[in-house]
């Protein structure tokens, strides 16, 4: 029973919850020379938001298989969604600090969650 609950907790933590966003993430990985269909996303978290909620910034991690070297790579990603204009920007990095630099720029003037600070 405990193993089942741990499994559910892990599924919940790694659940994206937005099919359109998930497909956009997978397409982005395909463009970046990774296999998007088999990518495993983790820790998708809302990190910053602008009232009334149209503009949102998410952070995530992903394990994706490279088309070039055929090895699995850990990537750190960031998404900026602006629902007013139906615009989604996605960037992935091999190092966490690179994502942090973009996050600081993209979240300037937005309300940041405690986890992202």
């Amino acid at each position: 029973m405990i193993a089942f609950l741990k499994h559910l907790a892990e599924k919940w933590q790694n659940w994206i919850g937005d099919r359109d966003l998930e497909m956009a993430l997978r397409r982005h990985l395909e463009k970046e020379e990774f296999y998007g269909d088999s990518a495993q996303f983790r820790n998708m978290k809302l990190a910053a938001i602008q009232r009334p909620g149209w503009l949102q910034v998410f952070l995530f991690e992903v394990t994706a298989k490279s088309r070039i070297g055929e090895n699995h790579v850990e990537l750190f990603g960031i998404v900026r969604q602006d629902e007013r204009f139906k615009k989604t920007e996605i960037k992935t990095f091999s190092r966490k600090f690179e994502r942090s630099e973009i996050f600081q720029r993209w979240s300037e003037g937005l309300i940041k969650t405690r986890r992202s600070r």
Side-chain angles (χ1 to χ4, degrees):
M1 181 67 166
I2 292 175
F4 176 70
L5 292 175
K6 285 182 181 180
H7 172 73
L8 282 179
E10 182 179 324
K11 291 283 272 186
W12 176 258
Q13 181 178 358
N14 298 331
W15 182 55
I16 295 174
D18 181 337
R19 182 73 176 151
D20 293 333
L21 178 56
E22 181 178 347
M23 296 311 295
L25 290 169
R26 292 185 188 284
R27 282 191 304 272
H28 170 78
L29 290 172
E30 292 284 338
K31 289 179 190 173
E32 297 291 320
E33 302 297 327
F34 294 97
Y35 292 104
D37 290 340
S38 62
Q40 296 177 341
F41 296 95
R42 295 181 312 285
N43 300 322
M44 175 67 82
K45 302 290 182 211
L46 176 64
I49 191 167
Q50 181 184 51
R51 288 186 181 175
W54 293 104
L55 180 62
Q56 302 173 353
V57 177
F58 296 90
L59 302 177
F60 67 94
E61 298 167 12
V62 61
T63 302
K65 188 174 181 180
S66 171
R67 290 183 185 273
I68 299 168
E70 295 293 318
N71 55 340
H72 285 84
V73 178
E74 298 293 321
L75 299 170
F76 301 93
I78 184 168
V79 177
R80 179 170 54 185
Q81 270 190 317
D82 193 333
E83 291 296 327
R84 295 170 295 191
F85 307 108
K86 301 293 183 207
K87 185 177 178 185
T88 301
E89 292 180 73
I90 303 168
K91 295 191 181 288
T92 50
F93 304 96
S94 58
R95 292 183 293 259
K96 201 173 190 175
F97 78 88
E98 293 172 317
R99 177 182 70 179
S100 296
E101 292 171 3
I102 296 293
F103 176 71
Q104 293 304 320
R105 196 168 355 129
W106 282 6
S107 65
E108 188 174 325
L110 303 182
I111 301 167
K112 297 177 185 127
T113 61
R114 289 182 185 170
R115 290 183 185 165
S116 67
R117 292 183 197 158

